[in-house]
Amino acid sequence: MSESYTPQELMVAVAAREIRDGDVVFVGMRLPILAYAVARNSHAPEARGLFEVGLMRDQPASAFLGTMGDPPNVAGALWATRMSNAMALMAQGEVDLGFIGGAEVDRFGNLNTSYVGDPRRPEVKLPGSGGGADISILSRRWVTLMSHEPRRLVEKVSFVTSPGYGDGSPGWRKRNGLLGGGPVAIITTLGVLRFPEGGGEAYLASVHPGHTVDEVAAYTGWSLQVSDAVSETSAPTESELASIRRFDPEGFWTRS
Amino acid sequence: MSESYTPQELMVAVAAREIRDGDVVFVGMRLPILAYAVARNSHAPEARGLFEVGLMRDQPASAFLGTMGDPPNVAGALWATRMSNAMALMAQGEVDLGFIGGAEVDRFGNLNTSYVGDPRRPEVKLPGSGGGADISILSRRWVTLMSHEPRRLVEKVSFVTSPGYGDGSPGWRKRNGLLGGGPVAIITTLGVLRFPEGGGEAYLASVHPGHTVDEVAAYTGWSLQVSDAVSETSAPTESELASIRRFDPEGFWTRS
Amino acid sequence: MGLKVMSMAQAIERFVPDGATIALGLALEPLIPFAAGHEIIRQQRRDLELVGPISDALFDQLIGAGCVRRVTAAWVGNVSEGLGHCYRRACEQEVPHALEVHDHSNFSISLALWAAAWNVPSLPTRTLLGSDILRTNPDLSVADGLVQVKAVRPDVAIVHVQRADELGRAHAWGPLGVSEEAGLASGRIVISCEELVDASVTLSDPNRILFPETKVAAVVPEPGGAHPSPVQGFFKRDHAFHRDYAERSRTVEGFEGWLRQWVLDVPDRAEYLKQIDPDALRIKHHRPSVPADFGDE
Amino acid sequence: MGLKVMSMAQAIERFVPDGATIALGLALEPLIPFAAGHEIIRQQRRDLELVGPISDALFDQLIGAGCVRRVTAAWVGNVSEGLGHCYRRACEQEVPHALEVHDHSNFSISLALWAAAWNVPSLPTRTLLGSDILRTNPDLSVADGLVQVKAVRPDVAIVHVQRADELGRAHAWGPLGVSEEAGLASGRIVISCEELVDASVTLSDPNRILFPETKVAAVVPEPGGAHPSPVQGFFKRDHAFHRDYAERSRTVEGFEGWLRQWVLDVPDRAEYLKQIDPDALRIKHHRPSVPADFGDE
């Protein structure tokens, strides 16, 4: 593995590539804030970022953000409003891509950010949905980022905070009234998992430089399907790295 | 009849007296705007005016208002917001008194501002509810002002835009889920009609100076009940008149 | 960049087709987009559905000119003068043709737009219980002691504001009526503005930006475009103009004369304004808001 | 006049009784009323229900201090650091005591507050379909393919703003989260502010006034009252402070030490601020908004 970038920097670069030019992106906390900044500065100059706190931006904030509500994210915003207005756009299908963080994900892309174990007396109480459930249900497509560990990529999440493809059966989302298309990628510290068109079970699409398919499979809590076309994830380019380091100069998100 | 004031000026003075100090008043168009200004300058210095356009005021506007959305009503406002926020306060029971104009009223205080005749092919198409239906249903108590003519005070309105006491049966409003208490007065060009505690049929409470009970009854489209304690309406005081003329200097509302 | 800026004629041509559902007059009495309405009349749009709470005389004019198939509104008339005579003729005599009316109250039209903004079929409310409006409007129903107000989704909202930039960030101030929910509920938004300003003005105050720019399809610099309605900081309401309209529109002939004078025989807003004395209506006493500091570092 | 202005101790004493349902942290990450929360801890309030979308670390602190019976929220933790350790201990080990949790998403908590603001039992939405949150929160149900979100009516909303006058007209700017609906939904509002200003400042811009003054019960001048959360134009977020809190609150002993240092052994916000370097956090680059002209004549 190259020493020239961290796993988080690679994840940010991969996440940025998920953003298409012109997309309205519902930007989550932490790495996605950087991913938006990187994309906006390279291949997606017409993207718009929507933040649940109640902001829309074009240009990324000019200074480091610890949270999406930090003052540099407000200065120069295109809209400072109420959360429900940002959610209204997403409920109308006007959000092309959302990012969600998760503590646990299963093979069908269901995320748990609420309870590990029985909700009535959990082993671990996680912080909860925030906007995650909203994004998973309402955005047109979404991506999650996660550290690749067997305790995080699990056979079955103990609580579905943010639904992916449910039980994996065809048409599960539509049958249950979920508006958006569902997850398109799980970007981890080891590789990128994707989903078949129309949803279903995740498969390994690419492995990060320095890692192997077997290693990824070993760190996954279910029997991982691997694409015939599995490839090596493209490393961050010089310009992606420069962008990342400009927006996270102290490495708060990408070097800790 | 004294020549020193017009019927409209008397109506404004009477309407102003309906405003209690500290009331939040949902102020309708035309004469009620003046009534609010008069009350605020005399016995109700702590009243607040709420305007459906999306305004709250303490001081009356410093200049003539043709509509509640005129610029002088905005300058110095305590809140400039959306209509739904003003309606929210009323839906919570936070509006003590509302004013509604009407084209027709019946003995139970039901107002018609929509259709005279069959709505599918009306004899007269009136402008509609505006906020009238909302005020009639949601404010704690309300008052209407009207020219006293048999075609306006009718046995039964052809369309209930803004419900008063419905069919007049006890508990009609509560039974139908209406939040507020209903109408308390109909202020006309000839007198003041009031309602019994808890609602029901209107009765003549006072006759304006220069008019008689018989005259009022003759101009009413139903057999009008008259209070045993029917009195003469108190004429506008000097200070009420001064106030009215200050806020309607050209007599746009009160002398045309 | 700047592709949203166009003339009113272009904006109406592109974004208001025959049969469209259009929301306008959304701040109630102020900021009514009369210039847009008159251009719609000039372009002879037909079968429109008009959506709004209270449009002052604009809805009456569009109805009289034969542009309108349906009105979904709380009130149609002339705020300072009373009845809308064209509205009456359409409903009572089918002149110039029949008109479908979906009656609302002010609160319920707001909720219909919020329902569309949030993409739900309807929203519940306690208002309208006991009102015959429930009998005539098929978009209202009662269940479990609450009124269900069906979503109303305009194709386009037309909004006049004090200032906007070329990318569609609009600043409006004063009471906002249902502007915000109507903009969010609509597929697109057409802005007309007193002043086209640099983005440094609009972005200096993102809280005052009324709509997400992604919804704004057109920005029309149109000073005086709300006359005779008031524009805080710019123009007083022209009460005499409303009175004159009320008097002349009492008859079909009177209305047609009015329409020729102020709409059909006038190519655009600039020419229209030459027939009035804008300086007499212009607000001369300024009351600038105290700035808010959006400092970030 | 001026009877609403009081100290934080007075405001909490008068308007936050034991058992109250209180909404706070309503703009999400910015403007969190930490000073108010700390005074609630000092006054040893018990059995509170906390309502809010994301409170950053404030909910965690109130829970750790034993003030809370129920949390109705979308997220409880530490935004830049992750898990809320006191929240974990309460849910996992009933330390300091058991906690009831009504899980929401950000959108659904907003709708719960709008339902209360509009005085309807619930509002419908498409969000949460397919989520197990529907299984654990009794305030959510499914009917006709939509989620019904039950109204949440706080007794009091506590809101930190940039400036307010003595009669309670508050100006806040930057993203507003659910501040507006929470204020309207609540019986009363307690404002804390960076600056107590003359009414000529607030009334110069009535569009920026956040709440109807009739709902505002108290105005507490409390500069720095939102630290360590950010306040546009005044203070940056104190990320290091959040990190320190996250580390120390990992254990009960660590949390108790933190609580003594920053809350229990400090009489008020002025003393608290002496322990930090406010100048290092103060925003020094100003970005005044371009005024809007509210001229009327």
Side-chain angles (χ1 to χ4, degrees), chain A residues 24 48 56 58 62-63 71-72 74-82 84-85 88-89 91-92 94 179, chain C residues 114 116-119 169 180 184-187 203 206-207 209-215 294-297:
Chain A
V24 174
R48 295 286 177 273
M56 183 182 276
D58 50 4
S62 61
V74 180
L78 309 178
W79 197 29
T81 184
R82 300 187 300 287
S84 54
N85 284 349
L89 289 187
Q92 292 176 29
E94 302 242 339
L179 187 76
Chain C
W114 279 119
W118 290 338
N119 193 15
R169 299 80 173 243
E180 191 175 305
L184 286 170
S186 296
L203 303 194
N207 283 99
I209 295 174
L210 197 49
F211 304 118
E213 62 164 40
T214 48
K215 287 253 185 196
F294 283 83
D296 60 334
E297 286 192 80

Side-chain angles (χ1 to χ4, degrees), chain C residues 12 16 22-25 32-51 55-71 76-77 86-87 90 95-97 99 158 245 255 258-259 263:
Chain C
I12 299 304
V16 184
I22 64 173
L24 66 180
I32 299 176
F34 275 95
H38 292 181
E39 184 58 30
I40 289 170
I41 294 172
R42 274 192 293 270
Q43 294 194 20
Q44 298 183 47
R45 284 297 172 284
R46 290 295 177 265
D47 297 321
L48 301 177
E49 175 174 355
L50 305 184
V51 174
S55 59
D56 216 325
L58 180 56
F59 279 13
D60 196 65
Q61 294 166 11
L62 287 160
I63 292 164
C67 304
V68 186
R69 170 181 55 89
R70 181 194 286 167
V71 168
V76 177
C86 294
Y87 187 46
V95 172
H97 53 68
L99 181 69
I158 307 178
Y245 175 73
F255 172 73
W258 185 95
L259 200 65
V263 182

Side-chain angles (χ1 to χ4, degrees), chain C residues 201-233:
Chain C
V201 173
T202 52
L203 303 194
S204 80
D205 194 350
N207 283 99
R208 213 184 292 280
I209 295 174
L210 197 49
F211 304 118
E213 62 164 40
T214 48
K215 287 253 185 196
V216 178
V219 177
V220 179
E222 194 76 305
H227 177 271
S229 70
V231 178
Q232 198 76 30

